[in-house]
Amino acid sequence: MYKHLVVAVDGSKTSLNALNHAAGLIGSSDAQLTLVHVANPAEYMALAPEFLQHDSYEAAAVAQGNEVLDFAEKTAQEKGVSRINKHLLVANKGAREMAQELVDYADEQGAELLVLGTHGRTGLMHLLMGSFAETVMRQSHLPLLIIRSTESDAE
């Protein structure tokens, strides 16, 4: 059905669920799966510099992002997906820029479906943390498959 799916991965159980759903959609077809991680160096600024094993916040974000992508690639291969691309994006601002980077990349690559997980935050946490999935939904014209987290994902 779909020839090219883009899956956003962040290392969480929720993004792993999204990846598993995408792999299931691909099944044994020859569809392309592109794994995308949006690294945000600002997330590492809360760490004390002595905890960083890299020269900069961006280097730490990129190193962690590459680990997430490698794990996601291995997971997709174990699910039988053979055509896999990986791509790391770096966004230095907040969720809105991160979402726009993902949407723009998926568009540029000719994706037919964008797949991502949502942590399902509500109330105060939604107000404080925002919703990456909601922002992607507002910015994308591509079909979206949003996989909601489960209670076991939050543990």
Side-chain angles (χ1 to χ4, degrees), residues 7 44 50 54 71-72 89 94 98 101 104-105 119 141 147:
V7 180
Y44 290 82
E50 59 269 15
H54 303 281
F71 180 78
L89 298 168
M98 293 171 70
E101 291 279 339
D104 290 347
Y105 180 78
H119 296 282
H141 69 276
I147 306 301

Side-chain angles (χ1 to χ4, degrees), residues 49-123:
E50 59 269 15
F51 292 115
L52 286 178
Q53 298 177 1
H54 303 281
D55 293 334
S56 69
Y57 297 116
E58 185 166 333
V62 166
Q64 176 66 29
N66 283 321
E67 288 177 17
V68 167
L69 287 169
D70 289 344
F71 180 78
E73 179 182 38
K74 181 180 175 194
T75 301
Q77 288 170 339
E78 290 171 355
K79 298 286 182 184
V81 179
S82 59
R83 294 184 58 214
I84 304 169
N85 285 337
K86 299 182 294 186
H87 190 75
L88 180 75
L89 298 168
V90 177
N92 290 305
K93 295 181 183 171
R96 174 169 272 160
E97 181 195 16
M98 293 171 70
Q100 192 63 58
E101 291 279 339
L102 175 64
V103 168
D104 290 347
Y105 180 78
D107 280 341
E108 291 165 8
Q109 297 305 305
E112 296 173 322
L113 180 68
L114 183 53
V115 183
L116 61 149
T118 180
H119 296 282
R121 294 183 183 104
T122 60

Side-chain angles (χ1 to χ4, degrees), residues 2-68:
Y2 295 107
K3 294 179 182 155
H4 187 193
L5 288 77
V6 169
V7 180
V9 293
D10 65 7
S12 68
K13 287 184 179 180
T14 301
S15 76
L16 183 59
N17 286 345
L19 174 57
N20 287 333
H21 275 76
L25 286 174
I26 289 174
S28 60
S29 75
D30 194 33
Q32 176 71 45
L33 176 67
T34 299
L35 305 167
V36 178
H37 178 78
V38 185
N40 185 350
E43 293 174 358
Y44 290 82
M45 291 179 185
L47 297 174
E50 59 269 15
F51 292 115
L52 286 178
Q53 298 177 1
H54 303 281
D55 293 334
S56 69
Y57 297 116
E58 185 166 333
V62 166
Q64 176 66 29
N66 283 321
E67 288 177 17
V68 167

